[in-house]
Amino acid sequence: MTEPAGAIDVLVVDDDFMVARVHRTFVERVAPFRVVGTAHTGEQAIEAVDALRPDLVLLDLYLPDLFGLDVIPRLRTAGHDCDVMVITAAREADAVRGAVRQGVVDYLLKPFDYEDLQPRLERYATQRGRLLTTVVRGQADVDRVLAGAFAPPAGGALPKGLSVETAQLVERALREADGTVSAAEAATTIGISRVSARRYLEYFHAIGNADVALRYGTAGRPERRYTWRA
């Protein structure tokens, strides 16, 4: 069978056979992801990664033989650099902190629907594409790649305190600007405070829709200037 161009291979790990089947169905509905295997224990997951070499592992934490987070260091010791997305019912803060320390790309609580998983997979695919294709010429390129790690909640929801209407106005100001825009200039154009404009501009920068450059004046802090990414 010919491998689809740009396919992202996924291993689904869950102790419940029926749940693993549902998750597999969810994943295979999202292009360019394809499930190359399933595992139901920690040891099976380690063996499957060794045999199948997936790009991404959807990892349950409550496995019958190993705690899911204990699987990750064993994969790294074996030389596997696959990404890991945790899918679990574990709501303990220690589990979340441990997952972050292990470098997981996302943490999704069970039970969840397809609509919960889809945007997270799409966000991961976008971030993965950046990592594979970026050319680092300076700090702005590094910031753009890392922006995916600070993306907003899945489903397109804005952070608390930001409104869709104002975000659209700020986006329009960036798109229509002739060159770069400062927070003060955006505030004047839109009719909001400079502090509010800065919050929206930084939000767009965090999700990778805007670039930031520093302009150094004769005194004081450098000015942050934004451009919309085409």
Side-chain angles (χ1 to χ4, degrees), residues 23-220:
H23 292 171
R24 177 173 192 146
T25 302
F26 286 171
V27 172
E28 290 183 335
R29 290 173 62 185
V30 185
F33 294 89
R34 65 174 185 177
V35 176
V36 294
T38 58
H40 308 292
T41 69
E43 292 293 345
Q44 286 180 8
I46 294 167
E47 293 173 1
V49 169
D50 189 55
L52 301 172
R53 303 298 174 110
D55 302 302
L56 176 67
V57 176
L58 265 59
L59 180 65
D60 188 15
L61 295 189
Y62 294 139
L63 301 173
D65 57 341
L66 296 170
F67 187 55
L69 293 183
D70 294 331
V71 171
I72 301 175
R74 290 184 56 178
L75 294 176
R76 302 304 181 228
T77 299
H80 299 300
D81 61 355
C82 53
D83 292 316
V84 176
M85 181 182 297
V86 169
I87 48 173
T88 182
R91 289 169 165 78
E92 297 84 2
D94 285 345
V96 177
R97 286 194 293 266
V100 171
R101 285 194 293 268
Q102 295 282 10
V104 304
V105 298
D106 214 326
Y107 193 108
L108 179 58
L109 290 173
K110 296 179 181 179
F112 57 84
D113 296 324
Y114 169 73
E115 289 74 17
D116 298 314
L117 181 61
Q118 177 195 13
R120 294 174 185 274
L121 290 176
E122 291 175 343
R123 185 172 67 192
Y124 165 77
T126 299
Q127 175 70 353
R128 184 172 185 271
R130 288 176 183 158
L131 289 170
L132 293 175
T133 61
T134 191
V135 176
V136 177
R137 294 176 294 268
Q139 186 64 47
D141 298 308
V142 176
D143 292 342
R144 185 159 49 247
V145 171
L146 293 180
F150 305 99
L158 289 168
K160 185 177 181 180
L162 302 188
S163 71
V164 173
E165 294 78 6
T166 305
Q168 291 173 343
L169 292 174
V170 175
E171 177 180 336
R172 184 184 306 167
L174 278 175
R175 287 181 177 274
E176 296 177 355
D178 183 14
T180 62
V181 175
S182 69
E185 291 166 350
T188 299
T189 300
I190 301 165
I192 60 177
S193 71
R194 184 186 62 80
V195 173
S196 294
R198 173 73 177 268
R199 288 192 63 199
Y200 286 92
L201 292 167
E202 286 295 329
Y203 163 75
F204 284 128
H205 174 54
I207 64 173
N209 286 346
D211 291 331
V212 176
L214 298 180
R215 176 182 292 177
Y216 291 86
T218 56

